[in-house]
Amino acid sequence: MSNKLRRSISFLAISTAVLLSSCQKDEIELTNQESSVLNAKEWFENTKPNLEALKYTETIDWSNAIVLDNDGEQAIEVPLKLIDDASTNVVSDIEYKTFMRLLLIKNIDDTYKVFNIVYTTKDVSFNNSDKSFNILDIGSQFSGYITIQKSDNTIGYSGKYENSEFSGLHNYNPEKRLTDRLVCSYYVTVGNYTTCSNWVWYPDYTFGPGGPGTLPPGYMPGISGPLYPNGLPAFDPCFAAKNATSVAANASFISAKAAIIQAGADGKEHSITLGYPGPAGPYTQSAMRNGGTNDVSVNETLSGAFAAIHNHPNNTPLSAGDIYVAVTLNTKNAAFYTSIIVTGGETYAIVVNNLPAAKEFVKNNPPDLSPNYPPEFPDNIFDQILDIRTKLGESIEARTEAIATVLDANNAGITLMKQDSSGKFNRIKLQKTNNPDGTVSYIAVPC
């Protein structure tokens, strides 16, 4: 997470009038910040949320409250001071110390969603009143755990961090793909007496680049959605290929794919969105949407949505429209970064593994739009693809390889994959080689 930088100003180049204007602006911004905190405090004191942490709280430090702007969504983060003989921890290791803050996220009706943030670390210099440290900006050196308690006193998120980088879910059992509910997830000590609190973690859904249970960094479902306004940090395409293989083995994926293939006999496109409902079990499915011969809409509102499957009835390869839609879906929902296409008896996947790069690619290469025709790549991209197709051929796989190669060459942050006969998804990546005889060849680069 990046820190904000202040611009230095040369006072020699600024007139007195401008300087006074700047000071006045600072006063207005300070007043707005104070007003936001006062409004949140007033609502909180009138509503009296029943967070369990408040039973062990001596003071809510409103004087050190932090006003956050999460891509237009306002939130207030407020340090808590526990009673003198109370301590808390999300792990049994007593070397870790835990610090608490309230998180109030403002709704459009001026009410708030309330959470308790638990920062756990061995760093003895951690300052819970430090306004430069918050849930949207944890700096570059935080190591420990971040746990979020929801207003119903369940845990919505608990992750481990090393030097401010997400390194895995807390109390998650990767073999069973569920939260380990036999392990105490929160300890409360009052005086000499320690109890395991009832803050057991039942995540809303946890789906990230590594599959179910690997929550994307900065994405905390049930709280405020993506905490990275520009999308998730880039992740390894080969890692994503393993995840796609795991998805393809799920019974819901298999049944959805079969239903789409069967429906495609009418010569039209059909789509089903998959959602991850919880820590175990098959994926949820949206109702099938039926489209035309060259397009179909995608259900974006399914709870836990992470992937959509659709068919190409005319056995055509991945299209420019598929690429642009995949970026749009991921822009709207950080977890929705996979699109799967069934065509010509083959199955392909589009994975947005670097959303900022993908958005930049779309900005620099907007689609060509014509009435009654699907979106197409602009001429400069289309010509690059066509040039490679003349060397690879016109099969579905060859044409997809050509698209993948041009996306790579333009740093598009988008990876294309193909499923093999065993059900495994393999990244499509070709390396260009200039041969001594003047010809050019392309060699597949495996993960």
Side-chain angles (χ1 to χ4, degrees):
M1 299 183 182
S2 60
N3 296 313
K4 295 181 179 179
L5 301 177
R6 295 182 178 178
R7 295 180 179 177
S8 59
I9 302 175
S10 171
F11 290 97
L12 295 177
I14 302 177
S15 67
T16 303
V18 174
L19 181 59
L20 290 174
S21 175
S22 298
C23 293
Q24 184 179 17
K25 180 180 178 182
D26 289 341
E27 290 176 0
I28 292 173
E29 289 178 347
L30 180 60
T31 301
N32 289 338
Q33 294 256 324
E34 290 177 337
S35 176
S36 296
V37 173
L38 288 174
N39 290 339
K41 180 182 179 183
E42 181 180 359
W43 179 90
F44 184 87
E45 291 177 345
N46 289 336
T47 306
K48 296 180 173 60
N50 189 32
L51 279 173
E52 185 176 11
L54 298 176
K55 293 190 297 183
Y56 310 104
T57 298
E58 177 183 289
T59 305
I60 301 175
D61 189 5
W62 293 101
S63 63
N64 281 308
I66 308 163
V67 180
L68 305 173
D69 181 0
N70 180 32
D71 199 24
E73 179 182 56
Q74 186 187 90
I76 313 292
E77 189 169 329
V78 195
L80 298 179
K81 183 180 183 300
L82 300 185
I83 57 179
D84 288 340
D85 61 346
S87 63
T88 61
N89 215 334
V90 298
V91 291
S92 57
D93 187 342
I94 61 174
E95 291 187 19
Y96 281 98
K97 302 300 179 185
T98 290
F99 304 86
M100 290 186 174
R101 293 182 182 180
L102 290 178
L103 179 66
L104 295 92
I105 300 177
K106 190 175 182 179
N107 299 316
I108 58 174
D109 60 357
D110 292 332
T111 61
Y112 295 82
K113 297 185 289 288
V114 185
F115 306 90
N116 179 35
I117 309 176
V118 185
Y119 296 114
T120 301
T121 181
K122 290 184 179 181
D123 182 1
V124 295
S125 65
F126 186 89
N127 180 4
N128 201 32
S129 299
D130 180 4
K131 291 188 177 183
S132 67
F133 182 96
N134 57 73
I135 193 64
L136 294 184
D137 188 352
I138 63 173
S140 60
Q141 297 180 336
F142 178 81
S143 293
Y145 301 88
I146 298 178
T147 302
I148 307 289
Q149 178 203 16
K150 300 195 292 184
S151 58
D152 62 358
N153 293 317
T154 60
I155 298 298
Y157 172 84
S158 190
K160 185 175 182 179
Y161 290 77
E162 295 178 5
N163 295 321
S164 296
E165 294 293 331
F166 175 81
S167 62
L169 294 179
H170 181 211
N171 284 344
Y172 175 74
N173 186 328
E175 295 180 357
K176 296 182 180 179
R177 289 186 178 275
L178 48 77
T179 304
D180 189 345
R181 298 172 184 171
L182 300 178
V183 177
C184 179
S185 60
Y186 197 83
Y187 300 84
V188 177
T189 299
V190 179
N192 296 322
Y193 184 62
T194 299
T195 60
C196 177
S197 168
N198 62 353
W199 293 11
V200 179
W201 178 33
Y202 293 90
D204 296 316
Y205 64 91
T206 54
F207 193 89
T214 54
L215 194 72
Y219 188 81
M220 301 180 183
I223 299 174
S224 62
L227 292 180
Y228 282 121
N230 294 322
L232 306 178
F235 53 89
D236 183 1
C238 292
F239 193 56
K242 291 182 180 179
N243 175 51
T245 300
S246 175
V247 170
N250 188 279
S252 287
F253 173 90
I254 295 170
S255 64
K257 177 180 172 181
I260 285 174
I261 292 173
Q262 182 177 9
D266 64 359
K268 297 180 180 179
E269 293 194 9
H270 305 269
S271 77
I272 294 176
T273 297
L274 299 178
Y276 191 70
Y283 305 133
T284 58
Q285 294 183 27
S286 70
M288 182 184 293
R289 288 192 171 179
N290 306 313
T293 56
N294 292 305
D295 66 315
V296 65
S297 64
V298 174
N299 185 319
E300 304 173 42
T301 62
L302 179 70
S303 177
F306 67 86
I309 311 171
H310 77 276
N311 66 306
H312 284 188
N314 297 321
N315 298 333
T316 54
L318 279 62
S319 68
D322 294 330
I323 300 295
Y324 289 112
V325 168
V327 176
T328 299
L329 291 171
N330 193 213
T331 299
K332 293 180 178 180
N333 179 351
F336 205 146
Y337 55 81
T338 303
S339 297
I340 296 166
I341 296 92
V342 180
T343 180
E346 300 173 340
T347 303
Y348 293 86
I350 302 170
V351 174
V352 181
N353 62 287
N354 186 336
L355 183 57
K359 290 167 72 174
E360 186 68 15
F361 172 80
V362 171
K363 176 183 176 182
N364 295 332
N365 303 282
D368 282 343
L369 301 174
S370 300
N372 303 319
Y373 289 94
E376 187 52 84
F377 289 115
D379 288 345
N380 65 309
I381 297 298
F382 183 82
D383 289 345
Q384 294 176 54
I385 294 172
L386 189 60
D387 178 64
I388 297 176
R389 278 168 52 182
T390 60
K391 300 174 178 63
L392 297 179
E394 292 298 319
S395 67
I396 294 176
E397 182 173 11
R399 293 174 68 178
T400 305
E401 289 173 338
I403 296 173
T405 303
V406 172
L407 291 176
D408 282 348
N410 287 272
N411 299 313
I414 301 167
T415 299
L416 306 186
M417 304 176 185
K418 182 183 180 184
Q419 188 181 35
D420 64 23
S421 58
S422 70
K424 178 183 177 182
F425 271 97
N426 297 290
R427 175 192 65 175
I428 298 175
K429 185 177 180 63
L430 300 183
Q431 180 176 313
K432 180 180 178 181
T433 301
N434 294 314
N435 301 315
D437 61 1
T439 60
V440 172
S441 60
Y442 290 87
I443 302 174
V445 181
C447 284

